[in-house]
Amino acid sequence: MDAVGVVEGEARELIRVRGEKIDITVLVPAHNEEETIGQTIESLLAQTRLPDRIVIIANGCTDHTVDVAKKYPVIVMDLPRLKHRKSEAMNRGWNLYGRDSDLVVSMDADTVLVPNAIEDWEKESWKRLFGGSTSKFTIRQPGLWCRLQKSEYAYNIQQGLNQGWTNVLAGAGSAFSGTALREIAARDDREGPWSYESAVEDYELTYRLREAGYKTYVSTTIRAYTDGMKNLKSLWGQRMKWQAGTLQDLLRFGVNRLTIRDWLSQMLNLLGPTIRALWVMVISLALYLDSLTLAWWGLLVPLLFVAINLKTAVRVPYKDKWDILLVVFIVPIELLACVRGGWILASWGEIIRKKITRKDRDLWAAQYKAEGVG
């Protein structure tokens, strides 16, 4: 990061300590979110520290999202279907309303923030070299797949809290330093902070912030409630976009001090399903050869996974007996692990296909199709 950026950031921190009110803009991109946009806006209007402006960026909506949003005291941008979808919507909203803000909050139109969110993000933004802070996400919907995602979110959040930083400031509910965003937007490869080259714009932006020397955190006090994928088809579509998009970015960034953990995570994500497959193969072979004998060491692998998952389950917010039983029964958690291995392998296949054919696949369109969104 250049010296000017550091000096400006430090100067702003000193101003804030003196008590001067900072300017906060909330950007909410939305595509056909008429059922949830109201509760998202209401959670922002119920904040203990109200933002200076709330901008709803309706991107090619064909439902009543715009009509619902206009019932509230917010700015509504009614845009046509944008070529670069969410990234372009965010850049347009930022360029018009957030460029001069001290703090910019990004939210999805199906996310609800706790009332202390904006106030606590304002306090967090005083940290030295603050780049951004993301919420502790959770899902309150019932159903098997939503419960499994809730457990997965809890595990990832705890990892970020333990290590003291995060590699993804999720756009579904995060706050960004205005100074940092202006620095990233000044790059020659973009029209604003968010890149059009990446299918996972949140990961790409977080990487650029860290590359510029800024710190990115998981907030210890801010929770956000978001919708989960309700079935396997929609979950697969979402995670294929996330996984394939992350791989594309990693290949572009290369192996360095900022990506080494992400590359190791990719390898570990493949190792888990591999260990499970080998265990099943050994047991199956023993049964086939009629040589299976019960031994305590044969239970080590499943017991190890139960112990790891149980440790995560007890930390899941709003947990109930079904969340614990999912872990103890082990089959549902192992099912998700196998499916995860499937989309990881499929995403590598997508990368290889792209290299061979030199044709991009619209991962956003694939996710929308899986979710049944127009």
Side-chain angles (χ1 to χ4, degrees), residues 75-94:
I75 299 167
V76 180
M77 298 175 63
D78 189 1
L79 303 177
R81 188 70 171 265
L82 301 174
K83 177 181 178 181
H84 301 291
R85 293 189 169 85
K86 183 179 178 181
S87 296
E88 188 172 353
M90 290 296 291
N91 281 338
R92 289 200 184 192
W94 180 81

Side-chain angles (χ1 to χ4, degrees), residues 279-339:
W279 186 82
V280 170
M281 288 173 61
V282 169
I283 297 299
S284 299
L285 182 61
L287 285 170
Y288 177 76
L289 298 175
D290 198 24
S291 60
L292 179 66
T293 57
L294 295 177
W296 65 269
W297 52 266
L299 298 175
L300 283 180
V301 171
L303 287 176
L304 174 63
F305 285 123
V306 168
I308 293 172
N309 293 329
L310 187 60
K311 183 179 178 181
T312 299
V314 297
R315 294 172 173 169
V316 170
Y318 307 104
K319 60 182 174 292
D320 57 25
K321 63 180 180 180
W322 298 110
D323 293 309
I324 303 299
L325 286 174
L326 283 177
V327 173
V328 175
F329 188 53
I330 199 174
V331 173
I333 294 290
E334 290 305 297
L335 172 63
L336 178 62
C338 292
V339 173

Side-chain angles (χ1 to χ4, degrees), residues 240-256:
M240 272 297 294
K241 181 176 79 71
W242 288 2
Q243 177 64 21
T246 300
L247 281 175
Q248 289 174 355
D249 281 355
L250 282 174
L251 290 170
R252 187 165 66 254
F253 300 154
V255 179
N256 57 53

Side-chain angles (χ1 to χ4, degrees), residues 172-247:
S174 292
F176 300 87
S177 158
T179 300
L181 291 184
R182 285 188 288 275
E183 182 173 337
I184 303 304
R187 292 172 57 95
D188 294 332
D189 61 347
R190 61 197 66 209
E191 297 177 355
W194 289 269
S195 171
Y196 301 155
E197 295 183 12
S198 175
V200 282
E201 67 288 333
D202 301 335
Y203 175 71
E204 197 276 347
L205 176 56
T206 309
Y207 174 82
R208 295 304 179 192
L209 290 169
R210 295 173 61 214
E211 183 183 47
Y214 290 100
K215 306 297 183 182
T216 56
Y217 309 91
V218 175
S219 175
T220 59
T221 62
I222 300 170
R223 187 164 294 283
Y225 307 101
T226 190
D227 282 352
M229 298 295 107
K230 300 177 180 62
N231 53 58
L232 177 56
K233 182 180 179 181
S234 59
L235 179 62
W236 184 279
Q238 180 195 63
R239 298 311 172 85
M240 272 297 294
K241 181 176 79 71
W242 288 2
Q243 177 64 21
T246 300
L247 281 175

